[in-house]
């Protein structure tokens, strides 16, 4: 009776306990800000013990010791994650209408240390009318103090961060991108001629926009400005970044000359000075596949004869003298920053016909590879078989010899000297 009472009480308690919601997929909402995306995830899978979410959010491929990863411990409510536009594997893509899109893939993992099958991946994308709209906040909000964040940096676009402790109202006032606001109203200048738009595109060897290549594949960077008859361009101060603020490499100096011709050569300019291009082999940092290129485009008046001259990069160039000369000019030239990025993967699937292949160890086509244990067992079995064969051969030889000995031991009518007295003759 006690056992039955205990069982009935347990069943009643189980029925009274509310069962957690099952099969509820998280909903994702994206808000496009100036310089970042604000991602809000509702109904994230909770922990079955606490009923709260404990896990992490990170861009795909950046789950190991990444500053772009954000952790959430016993979090209540919706998850909020701020993804920068110019780092953390977020890549730009220019559209046909002159706008620009930024896209990435984020991973929601409901565990702080393990990657499980409960994780979800979401493709996120933000579209802007222009690069300036994507990067520059409103003029009356530029002087607002920035909120503190876990990883400090001179450029807040360098890191992703969680925003679980901030309010919606604070985010709405910080760097909000207004798609309906007229472009250019915040920049009031005395110039009657508007500044031309500037673009950077990276092409592969098939003359298509490069987004996923391998180490050593030929790439071509094309930097251009809108067609007009007032300004030309000079490409300076190019760098390549990893997007994690861990490393960068300078490619082109402030005088427009390459820093290392083996990595990237000198830009070639068109006759109208409206575009420049350079072709180089793809490279990457050893710990990430994302690569970001950034250059400064210095505008010059086409009426100025020096604007038609290409940089002279032969021999050693006086870097400090170049900077001093540019500062001594009457007016500082207008400079526009351009950037782009792509994914560069390891060249694992190298062609077997490449004689100079350094990524794959060459092996014979008919080679047979076995482990040490298998090889030792095979040698032992072969030795045992050889020993058995030798023993069998010795036994056969001994058996033959014993047979001959037995046959020779008996008497025979032909043994001994033979004499026939019937035919003997003595004189």
């Amino acid at each position: 009776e006690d056992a039955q009472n205990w069982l009935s009480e347990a069943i009643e308690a189980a029925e009274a306990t509310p069962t957690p919601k099952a099969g509820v997929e998280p909903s994702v909402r994206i808000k496009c800000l100036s310089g970042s995306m604000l991602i809000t995830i509702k109904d994230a899978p909770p922990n079955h013990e606490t009923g709260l979410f404990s896990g992490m959010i990170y861009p795909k491929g950046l789950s190991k010791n990444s500053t772009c990863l954000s952790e959430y411990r016993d979090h209540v409510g919706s998850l909020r994650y701020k993804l920068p536009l110019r780092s953390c594997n977020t890549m730009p893509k220019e559209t046909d209408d002159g706008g620009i899109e930024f896209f990435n893939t984020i991973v929601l993992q409901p565990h702080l240390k393990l990657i499980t099958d409960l994780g979800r991946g979401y493709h996120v994308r933000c579209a802007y009318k222009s690069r300036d709209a994507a990067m520059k906040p409103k003029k009356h909000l530029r002087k607002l103090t920035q909120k503190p964040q876990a990883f400090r940096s001179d450029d807040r676009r360098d890191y992703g961060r969680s925003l679980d402790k901030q309010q919606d109202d604070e985010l709405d006032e910080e760097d909000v991108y207004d798609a309906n606001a007229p472009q250019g109203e915040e920049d009031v200048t005395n110039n009657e001629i508007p500044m031309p738009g500037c673009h950077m595109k990276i092409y592969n060897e098939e003359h298509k926009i490069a987004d996923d290549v391998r180490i050593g594949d030929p790439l071509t960077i094309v930097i251009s400005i809108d067609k007009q008859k007032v300004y030309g361009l000079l490409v300076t101060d190019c760098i390549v970044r990893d997007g994690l603020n861990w490393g960068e490499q300078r490619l082109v100096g402030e005088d427009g000359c390459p820093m290392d011709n083996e990595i990237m050569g000198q830009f070639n300019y068109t006759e109208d000075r409206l575009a420049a291009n350079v072709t180089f082999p793809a490279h990457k940092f050893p710990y990430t596949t994302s690569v970001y290129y950034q250059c400064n485009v210095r505008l010059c008046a086409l009426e100025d004869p020096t604007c038609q001259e290409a940089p002279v990069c032969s021999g050693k160039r006086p870097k400090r003298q170049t900077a001093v000369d540019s500062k001594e000019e009457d007016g500082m030239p207008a400079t526009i920053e351009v950037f782009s990025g792509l994914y560069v993967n390891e060249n694992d699937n190298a062609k077997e016909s490449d004689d100079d292949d350094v990524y794959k160890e060459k092996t014979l086509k008919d080679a047979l590879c076995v482990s040490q244990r298998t090889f030792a067992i095979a040698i032992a079995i072969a030795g045992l078989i050889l020993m058995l064969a030798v023993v069998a051969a010795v036994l056969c030889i001994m058996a033959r010899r014993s047979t001959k000995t037995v046959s020779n031991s008996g008497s025979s009518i032909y043994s001994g000297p033979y004499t026939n007295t019937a035919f003997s003759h003595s004189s």
Side-chain angles (χ1 to χ4, degrees):
E1 294 179 358
D2 294 338
Q4 291 179 355
N5 294 334
W6 177 84
L7 181 59
S8 60
E9 291 177 359
I11 294 174
E12 292 177 358
E15 293 177 351
T17 303
T19 57
K21 296 181 180 179
V24 178
E25 284 293 332
S27 59
V28 180
R29 183 168 59 92
I30 304 172
K31 188 172 185 179
C32 299
L33 307 179
S34 295
S36 62
M37 305 182 198
L38 175 59
I39 302 170
T40 303
I41 302 178
K42 187 179 180 181
D43 296 330
N47 186 281
H48 68 280
E49 295 180 354
T50 63
L52 304 177
F53 177 81
S54 293
M56 51 188 173
I57 298 178
Y58 55 88
K60 182 180 178 181
L62 298 180
S63 60
K64 298 179 180 179
N65 300 326
S66 172
T67 53
C68 303
L69 181 146
S70 294
E71 295 182 347
Y72 304 81
R73 299 178 184 272
D74 297 332
H75 182 80
V76 180
S78 300
L79 305 177
R80 309 171 73 202
Y81 177 74
K82 198 170 185 180
L83 182 66
L85 298 183
R86 295 183 58 180
S87 59
C88 295
N89 279 356
T90 305
M91 291 298 170
K93 181 179 181 181
E94 293 192 359
T95 57
D96 297 335
D97 57 356
I100 186 171
E101 289 185 353
F102 293 85
F103 60 93
N104 204 335
T105 301
I106 63 169
V107 178
L108 172 67
Q109 194 62 242
H111 200 281
L112 289 170
K113 295 182 179 180
L114 301 179
I115 297 178
T116 66
D117 59 349
L118 299 177
R120 295 290 184 271
Y122 302 96
H123 297 285
V124 294
R125 187 180 300 268
C126 270
Y128 300 85
K129 293 182 178 180
S130 64
R131 288 178 180 265
D132 291 340
M135 293 293 108
K136 295 181 180 180
K138 290 183 178 180
K139 185 177 180 180
H140 66 280
L141 294 175
R142 292 179 186 177
K143 296 182 180 180
L144 291 179
T145 57
Q146 301 296 334
K147 303 296 185 297
Q149 55 190 33
F151 301 96
R152 289 188 175 183
S153 174
D154 296 335
D155 190 349
R156 58 188 174 83
R157 295 169 297 186
D158 290 339
Y159 303 110
R161 52 174 174 151
S162 62
L163 301 171
D164 54 324
K165 296 182 180 180
Q166 298 185 12
Q167 302 297 327
D168 290 336
D169 296 338
E170 294 177 346
L171 292 171
D172 292 341
E173 294 179 358
E174 180 186 354
D175 300 342
V176 176
Y177 166 64
D178 188 0
N180 298 322
Q183 302 295 327
E185 65 178 1
E186 69 274 13
D187 297 329
V188 180
T189 60
N190 296 326
N191 295 332
E192 297 180 357
I193 303 175
M195 297 289 291
C198 192
H199 314 277
M200 173 190 281
K201 295 183 180 181
I202 305 177
Y203 296 93
N204 55 21
E205 58 182 344
E206 299 177 355
H207 303 287
K208 298 180 180 180
I209 297 295
D211 54 3
D212 194 347
V213 298
R214 296 189 178 277
I215 293 178
D217 290 350
L219 297 176
T220 301
I221 290 182
V222 178
I223 300 177
S224 60
I225 57 177
D226 294 341
K227 189 174 182 180
Q228 32 75 44
K229 298 182 179 179
V230 179
Y231 297 107
L233 63 80
L234 174 64
V235 180
T236 64
D237 297 308
C238 292
I239 61 173
V240 56
R241 300 183 295 109
D242 58 358
L244 302 174
N245 203 34
W246 291 350
E248 68 177 32
Q249 174 67 39
R250 197 175 184 186
L251 302 176
V252 177
E254 58 187 352
D255 57 354
C257 293
M259 306 299 296
D260 190 344
N261 285 292
E262 293 184 356
I263 301 178
M264 178 181 289
Q266 185 175 356
F267 274 87
N268 301 313
Y269 294 85
T270 57
E271 295 182 358
D272 54 9
R273 301 292 292 189
L274 297 180
N277 65 84
V278 61
T279 301
F280 60 97
H283 46 253
K284 66 182 289 291
F285 293 90
Y287 45 82
T288 180
T289 59
S290 58
V291 179
Y292 295 86
Y293 294 94
Q294 174 183 319
C295 293
N296 288 340
V297 177
R298 190 177 301 171
L299 299 181
C300 58
L302 291 175
E303 297 178 354
D304 187 357
T306 58
C307 187
Q308 303 292 336
E309 298 176 359
V312 180
C313 302
S314 58
K316 297 182 179 180
R317 60 188 192 279
K319 299 179 182 178
R320 297 184 180 270
Q321 185 67 29
T322 304
V324 173
D325 294 343
S326 61
K327 293 181 180 180
E328 291 178 354
E329 296 179 357
D330 296 337
M332 292 295 293
T335 303
I336 305 175
E337 182 184 274
V338 292
F339 61 90
S340 187
L342 74 161
Y343 298 107
V344 180
N345 300 306
E346 296 285 349
N347 195 1
D348 293 331
N349 299 329
K351 295 181 180 179
E352 297 180 358
S353 59
D354 294 340
D355 296 334
D356 297 333
D357 187 4
V358 297
Y359 300 102
K360 183 179 179 182
E361 183 180 358
K362 300 235 181 231
T363 56
L364 297 177
K365 294 182 179 180
D366 56 349
L368 178 61
C369 298
V370 295
S371 63
Q372 294 182 355
R373 181 180 179 182
T374 305
F375 181 75
I377 294 174
I379 292 296
I381 294 175
L384 181 61
I385 294 175
L386 181 61
M387 291 177 61
L388 293 176
V390 172
V391 171
V394 172
L395 292 176
C396 291
I397 294 174
M398 293 179 63
R400 289 181 180 181
R401 289 184 177 180
S402 61
T403 302
K404 290 182 179 180
T405 304
V406 171
S407 62
N408 293 332
S409 60
S411 60
S412 174
I413 61 175
Y414 299 104
S415 60
Y418 172 76
T419 56
N420 190 352
T421 56
F423 295 93
S424 61
H425 175 73
S426 59
S427 56

